Amino acid sequence: MTKVSMTQFVSENIEESLMNMNTCLICRILEVDMNLYKADVLPLHDPDATPILDVPMAFWQTEQFVIQVPFKKGDKVLVVCSQADIDPLMFGGGKAASRSFSANDALIVGGVHYFTKPLQNEHPDDLLLSDKIYKNKIRITPTGEIFMESEENINIISKKDVNIKGENVWIN
């Protein structure tokens, strides 16, 4: 039997505990359900990783508004693992399990862009909704100007009036 010092024993146990704690992972989406805002993901840091199933997507939302990002199969995403069991929150009640930082409590918090594929963003200081080639976009500048730009049709649909007001209005 090999003798182990108390320091070595504690150190090895802490290291083993930390290795079993999930904080955040970069994953690839395997399947996605944009109706339930959940996806199956595969961690990319571990060649022996198993998929994490039914991971909820966090997104910007309030009681009245939502900003939806249409994740697709193959997208790289940042997944965080909650400090506590999220099942009671997600499913509306029940008793929380005592688990912490478990892959069972993973949440997709956003996409990840790799440095190996730089984007040619010509509007780095603007609030921007755009495709990745910046050909179709809505942007707001720091001075408050709003631009809608597209190489395709821009459709405005309303069951009521459409009002355009300004000091000068030009239509080409």
Side-chain angles (χ1 to χ4, degrees):
M1 178 180 214
T2 307
K3 289 188 176 185
V4 176
S5 72
M6 181 58 103
T7 303
Q8 184 180 358
F9 175 77
V10 170
S11 177
E12 288 173 359
N13 279 293
I14 290 173
E15 185 176 332
E16 184 177 331
S17 292
L18 290 175
M19 289 302 293
N20 292 322
M21 182 187 313
N22 296 293
T23 54
C24 71
L25 312 158
I26 295 177
C27 298
R28 184 178 76 250
I29 292 182
L30 301 174
E31 296 294 329
V32 65
D33 182 336
M34 287 304 296
N35 292 313
L36 293 175
Y37 289 97
K38 67 179 185 173
D40 298 342
V41 299
L42 181 66
L44 297 177
H45 71 287
D46 180 359
D48 299 323
T50 58
I52 305 170
L53 306 177
D54 297 327
V55 180
M57 296 176 195
F59 51 92
W60 290 94
Q61 72 168 338
T62 65
E63 288 296 321
Q64 296 177 324
F65 299 100
V66 63
I67 297 175
Q68 171 184 301
V69 177
F71 288 109
K72 303 285 185 222
K73 182 177 181 174
D75 284 345
K76 308 299 186 291
V77 292
L78 181 64
V79 174
V80 298
C81 297
S82 177
Q83 181 179 352
D85 177 8
I86 63 171
D87 288 348
L89 297 172
M90 297 304 297
F91 299 108
K95 186 172 191 273
S98 61
R99 63 183 182 247
S100 292
F101 300 108
S102 168
N104 292 324
D105 301 308
L107 295 158
I108 296 170
V109 295
V112 176
H113 183 78
Y114 292 161
F115 295 141
T116 57
K117 293 183 176 183
L119 295 174
Q120 302 303 315
N121 183 0
E122 49 193 56
H123 311 288
D125 297 323
D126 298 348
L127 175 65
L128 185 67
L129 250 65
S130 177
D131 55 26
K132 276 200 170 175
I133 56 174
Y134 301 102
K135 298 294 182 189
N136 304 291
K137 55 193 164 199
I138 298 171
R139 64 184 178 94
I140 302 174
T141 70
T143 60
E145 290 182 282
I146 300 173
F147 294 87
M148 291 174 59
E149 304 170 43
S150 179
E151 293 189 356
E152 299 296 329
N153 294 334
I154 295 176
N155 300 295
I156 300 172
I157 300 169
S158 174
K159 293 189 181 211
K160 298 210 174 193
D161 296 340
V162 174
N163 299 301
I164 300 174
K165 296 180 182 181
E167 188 172 312
N168 297 298
V169 177
W170 291 272
I171 299 177
N172 295 348

